[in-house]
Amino acid sequence: MRKAYLFVSLSLDGYFEGPNHDISWHNVDDEFNEFAIEQLKEADLLLFGRRTYQLMEASWPKAAKDPTTSEENLEIVDLINNANKIVFSRTLRTVEETENWKNTKLVHEFDPAAVRRLKEQPGKGIWVGGSNLALSLIKANLIDEFRFMINPVVIGKGTSILEGIQGELDLELTKTRRFSSGNILLYYNLPKGIVKAGPFARL
């Protein structure tokens, strides 16, 4: 069974983005990029919600053509490009593939059974990106590991990655990792599953 993991950067007060989708406060340096490469090498399937997909599509293919892009970021581009990608969206009509953005599939409806079948297929891990998609996967008990990168900053207000959970998540801390930037990475699993599931989020 393949493992699905959710990675998200958070502020000390629990937000993954500030007002107007601001993530300029995310603490990113060479050490973070090295970790990003390690993490992407664990997966060969990336699952996106619409907004995360559009952000990634707008930035990484351009980075591939930019002569100033660092070697680490070029490796990230290559890993993302060669991985299979699925975007869940009711509003997107098509997805376009290019030389630097390929292996992409559009799915209009979130189906927990279909995701379970993906997990049963042979392969590496499954990386999850997107808050609404994450909520739907959590409510269906399809996330095996939570990876929260805590940034040493308080932003006051924003959007919580777990906003909309109608129940209790009894998480178990399995590992921690400190970064020289002050970031701390917390690894959790969910041994008991979600106590009470709410309706799936709109993607």
Side-chain angles (χ1 to χ4, degrees), residues 68-86:
T68 66
T69 300
S70 67
E71 290 185 12
E72 290 83 5
N73 278 331
L74 285 174
E75 187 169 359
I76 292 172
V77 168
D78 187 61
L79 288 166
I80 293 173
N81 187 30
N82 287 302
N84 291 312
K85 295 175 282 293
I86 299 177

Side-chain angles (χ1 to χ4, degrees), residues 19-197:
N20 300 314
H21 310 304
D22 177 35
I23 58 171
S24 61
W25 50 270
H26 283 193
N27 225 350
V28 177
D29 58 11
D30 290 342
E31 187 181 16
F32 180 96
N33 286 337
E34 289 172 5
F35 160 73
I37 291 169
E38 293 171 13
Q39 183 167 242
L40 283 167
K41 286 181 177 179
E42 297 176 34
D44 57 7
L45 175 59
L46 314 180
L47 305 184
F48 298 103
R50 176 190 57 80
R51 190 155 57 82
T52 301
Y53 172 82
Q54 289 178 322
L55 287 171
M56 301 280 273
E57 182 192 29
S59 59
W60 289 113
K62 289 181 181 178
K65 299 178 181 180
D66 187 342
T68 66
T69 300
S70 67
E71 290 185 12
E72 290 83 5
N73 278 331
L74 285 174
E75 187 169 359
I76 292 172
V77 168
D78 187 61
L79 288 166
I80 293 173
N81 187 30
N82 287 302
N84 291 312
K85 295 175 282 293
I86 299 177
V87 53
F88 294 85
S89 173
R90 292 188 175 96
T91 56
L92 287 178
R93 290 293 168 257
T94 60
V95 291
E96 295 184 7
E97 293 194 347
T98 65
E99 178 186 358
N100 296 305
W101 192 258
K102 56 189 180 183
N103 305 319
T104 305
K105 178 181 179 181
L106 173 63
V107 175
H108 290 295
E109 295 293 335
F110 174 76
D111 179 6
V115 177
R116 288 191 185 94
R117 288 192 293 271
L118 289 173
K119 294 182 67 176
E120 291 169 357
Q121 295 175 0
K124 295 183 179 181
I126 301 173
W127 180 92
V128 177
S131 57
N132 285 342
L133 175 60
L135 285 176
S136 293
L137 290 166
I138 292 168
K139 290 173 181 178
N141 287 321
L142 290 170
I143 298 292
D144 299 290
E145 186 173 75
F146 298 79
R147 301 176 181 182
F148 297 139
M149 181 73 81
I150 309 301
N151 291 249
V153 60
V154 174
I155 63 173
K157 57 184 177 179
T159 307
S160 167
I161 191 67
L162 300 178
E163 187 173 322
I165 291 292
Q166 299 176 9
E168 181 181 313
L169 295 179
D170 187 10
L171 300 177
E172 177 182 57
L173 181 66
T174 59
K175 186 168 65 172
T176 64
R177 175 174 172 180
R178 295 171 64 100
F179 289 72
S180 59
S181 64
N183 288 0
I184 298 179
L185 180 60
L186 306 176
Y187 293 77
Y188 291 94
N189 62 23
L190 187 60
K192 298 179 182 179
I194 186 170
V195 174
K196 177 184 175 185

